[in-house]
Amino acid sequence: KLEETFSIILKSLSCHVFFVCGNHEAWVGGDEMDSLGIVDSLKKIETVNSLCKRMGVYTDFRLLGRCQDYPVVILPLMSWYDGSLALQNCEDLCASFDSWPWVDFIRCKWPNVQILEPVFSL
């Protein structure tokens, strides 16, 4: 559906299209994901970003327009929420994200942290 949506926007509006993956793009599981060999959320986000690149949809920053006096910069930011965003006196709400009924915590599957350490180490 994402590819179809991008196609419609690109063809009908003839404009620059920007996209930032959200929580639903991180959802995995089901027949479609299985058929594509997508087993974790990072792989799915990578697949979505590849689709965007192939279609000419921007997922990174761009300077738009020709007027140097009033430049317009589009800067998509990927982010995620976690327990560090808790409000004071609400610690009980963050005690165990794994047991929350939110679908994100059921449908998102993140790879093992040790796999990511070499990628993100300085």
Side-chain angles (χ1 to χ4, degrees), residues 2-119:
L2 193 56
E3 184 172 5
E4 181 182 349
T5 301
F6 288 151
S7 292
I8 291 168
I9 293 170
L10 289 164
K11 288 176 185 173
S12 63
L13 299 180
S14 299
C15 62
H16 294 288
V17 177
F18 290 82
F19 185 78
V20 178
C21 287
N23 58 325
H24 291 199
E25 282 71 44
W27 290 6
V28 295
D31 294 338
E32 183 180 5
M33 296 298 107
D34 292 345
S35 70
L36 295 171
I38 297 174
V39 296
D40 69 54
S41 296
L42 288 182
K43 178 65 177 168
K44 175 138 182 243
I45 290 170
E46 179 183 294
T47 301
V48 169
N49 283 332
S50 293
L51 169 69
C52 290
K53 184 175 183 176
R54 180 172 51 82
M55 296 188 73
V57 173
Y58 298 111
T59 58
D60 57 357
F61 75 93
R62 289 282 183 253
L63 175 64
L64 300 180
R66 296 187 174 122
C67 177
Q68 296 298 322
D69 295 333
Y70 304 102
V72 175
V73 177
I74 304 292
L75 182 63
L77 298 174
M78 285 193 65
S79 62
W80 195 260
Y81 51 84
D82 63 26
S84 67
L85 301 177
L87 301 172
Q88 287 184 341
N89 302 319
C90 294
E91 292 79 10
D92 60 317
L93 296 176
C94 299
S96 177
F97 274 144
D98 293 337
S99 66
W100 279 29
W102 293 5
V103 174
D104 289 347
F105 297 103
I106 297 167
R107 298 285 308 270
C108 296
K109 304 292 182 207
W110 304 107
N112 189 320
V113 174
Q114 285 90 11
I115 294 170
L116 299 176
E117 285 176 357
V119 175

